Amino acid sequence: MDHVFTHHLRALAASDPIDHEQIDEVRQALEHALDRELRRRGLRQLSPTLLGVHGSTSWSDRDARDELVAECYVFIFVHRLRGLRAQLTVKPHIEGLIALNVRHFVFERQKAYDPLGYRTYEVMHRAVQLALDAHILHAEDETLDNRTMLATSADVATTEPAGETELSPHVMAWSDDLVPAVAVAHGRAELVAISQRLYPRFDDLGHAGIARFRFKNLVDAVKRLVRGGWAAILDTELGDSGFDVDMHGTLTRVRSTPPDTGVDDHQALGHLTRRVEERIAAREDERSRQELRDLWHLIRAHVAADTSTGRGRASDQPHAGLPSQRQLSDRLGVHRRRIGPLLATLQGIVREATGASR
């Protein structure tokens, strides 16, 4: 299938009829390219929901793969057709450019549908780079990517590297710095602050006997911690929950049904955050969208902080105190008169999302 993408692009540019054989070749080539990228990013064995493909539990499902290929085709050969055609006038072929576009496609999908995975990678990449600069860690490669071998000492090159399973117990000790901070961070500055808090703790790995490990195994262990921890906050702690506002303007969390402890970690994240955020994003008014998004993130952060400090676990009370409307107004920079209507709107969105996720 040499230059299959180039041949297809030339046919599109010339408005030539596209036969079924060429379409099948393009589909196969895209599927192979996507498979390589999923493996490179450590997504191949994870749920397709992390890239916005729903209704399948794994990438072994042909429907899931076909949907991702179709979305990737539109991303490259529809939305970027003009730019690709321009490149074809100055390049003999565009195979490398297509490979780059596949990488961009998966990156954009993960950023949109797997924010925890995307944020975790950003935090860990920056934290490891800081640790390298401080000589807490040592890299056996010039560039820092998934394949990079890291060491806690400069003279352990022959030591067998630790895998994700061996790293996981040590990563658990970082949970207070990572969960829920990664999930509720606003903007790059907060992610940078998490990395700066985290990187000195890599020194603990050496003291614990971890001599060498690949960056990918470290990131995968941390992703598992962050996803699992946040899913537990949303599902195990909250169950099917909502919130109410009393006559004094106090926001309270209310558990309506017991939590379903059998829900998969990825489903737990998707069944609440994804559906709520999709409904917020669909609102027409830009000001309302931003205010609702900020309010939703603030409530999640407060609930997560309660849980991580033990306050969420401390009792079986059906109500848990959350910020007052005055506090919400101060934190969000929104006039207090707007807080009540925003809360009512968000409560309706959460109820809709809860019903849609069942």
Side-chain angles (χ1 to χ4, degrees):
M1 295 190 296
D2 289 347
H3 295 174
V4 60
F5 296 127
T6 301
H7 296 323
H8 182 58
L9 182 60
R10 290 190 187 281
L12 291 175
S15 299
D16 291 340
I18 309 298
D19 58 40
H20 291 294
E21 183 177 351
Q22 183 181 125
I23 288 292
D24 192 53
E25 287 181 348
V26 171
R27 187 199 64 76
Q28 289 183 48
L30 269 182
E31 184 172 342
H32 290 321
L34 283 165
D35 188 70
R36 286 194 300 271
E37 184 63 16
L38 294 186
R39 292 181 188 279
R40 191 184 73 84
R41 288 183 173 272
L43 294 168
R44 185 63 175 82
Q45 303 305 317
L46 299 182
S47 170
T49 59
L50 297 180
L51 292 182
V53 177
H54 307 292
S56 299
T57 59
S58 77
W59 291 112
S60 61
D61 187 334
R62 165 53 62 187
D63 289 341
R65 298 200 304 275
D66 285 347
E67 181 176 337
L68 191 68
V69 169
E71 294 286 348
C72 186
Y73 181 91
V74 172
F75 180 89
I76 296 174
F77 290 104
V78 175
H79 297 320
R80 286 154 183 77
L81 180 60
R82 181 179 297 179
L84 289 174
R85 289 171 61 180
Q87 288 295 316
L88 201 55
T89 64
V90 296
K91 295 179 182 291
H93 64 82
I94 44 85
E95 304 304 299
L97 190 57
I98 297 299
L100 181 62
N101 273 272
V102 168
R103 182 168 294 188
H104 288 166
F105 168 74
V106 176
F107 170 79
E108 293 295 337
R109 298 285 288 200
Q110 186 177 18
K111 186 176 180 181
Y113 293 98
D114 180 25
L116 290 188
Y118 167 76
R119 289 177 174 201
T120 300
Y121 182 91
E122 291 289 299
V123 166
M124 295 308 297
H125 192 280
R126 187 174 291 107
V128 168
Q129 190 60 62
L130 290 170
L132 292 172
D133 294 341
H135 304 293
I136 295 173
L137 293 178
H138 306 269
E140 299 179 16
D141 305 284
E142 292 185 2
T143 58
L144 179 58
D145 57 29
N146 279 336
R147 298 164 294 181
T148 302
M149 186 68 74
L150 300 167
T152 53
S153 175
D155 56 355
V156 293
T158 60
T159 306
E160 187 70 19
E164 179 186 345
T165 302
E166 296 167 273
L167 289 166
S168 290
H170 306 287
V171 166
M172 286 292 294
W174 306 341
S175 60
D176 288 345
D177 285 332
L178 290 169
V179 183
V182 171
V184 298
H186 283 283
R188 183 171 295 274
E190 291 190 23
L191 293 176
V192 169
I194 298 169
S195 300
Q196 291 172 335
R197 292 199 306 270
L198 180 62
Y199 86 86
R201 304 188 68 172
F202 290 136
D203 199 34
D204 299 340
L205 294 175
H207 295 318
I210 301 294
R212 298 172 73 226
F213 53 91
R214 288 201 184 277
F215 178 65
K216 179 183 185 302
N217 289 332
L218 176 68
V219 171
D220 287 347
V222 175
K223 282 182 180 180
R224 187 177 298 277
L225 169 70
V226 172
R227 286 174 178 144
W230 187 241
I233 288 169
L234 294 180
D235 235 32
T236 306
E237 288 297 325
L238 300 182
D240 285 337
S241 302
F243 51 87
D244 275 318
V245 184
D246 65 19
M247 60 182 295
H248 303 295
T250 299
L251 186 66
T252 56
R253 190 179 75 219
V254 181
R255 174 178 292 177
S256 56
T257 64
D260 178 3
T261 56
V263 175
D264 177 82
D265 287 348
H266 305 306
Q267 292 175 334
L269 176 65
H271 285 171
L272 185 55
T273 57
R274 188 181 65 252
R275 296 183 187 281
V276 169
E277 290 173 1
E278 284 175 353
R279 284 164 170 76
I280 291 174
R283 300 187 68 83
E284 294 183 1
D285 182 65
E286 182 177 354
R287 177 186 179 188
S288 174
R289 281 200 309 272
Q290 187 58 54
E291 291 174 346
L292 286 168
R293 187 178 294 116
D294 290 344
L295 178 59
W296 171 237
H297 288 165
L298 191 151
I299 291 171
R300 289 167 57 197
H302 188 90
V303 171
D306 273 357
T307 301
S308 64
T309 58
R311 293 195 298 270
R313 304 175 188 268
S315 72
D316 295 326
Q317 297 177 7
H319 300 275
L322 291 175
S324 68
Q325 289 195 36
R326 182 184 298 277
Q327 291 171 322
L328 290 173
S329 174
D330 292 339
R331 290 284 300 278
L332 297 174
V334 175
H335 195 284
R336 191 176 178 185
R337 285 198 301 266
R338 287 188 56 79
I339 296 297
L342 285 171
L343 286 170
T345 300
L346 184 55
Q347 186 172 17
I349 290 173
V350 170
R351 285 173 176 162
E352 289 178 8
T354 300
S357 66
R358 288 174 182 166

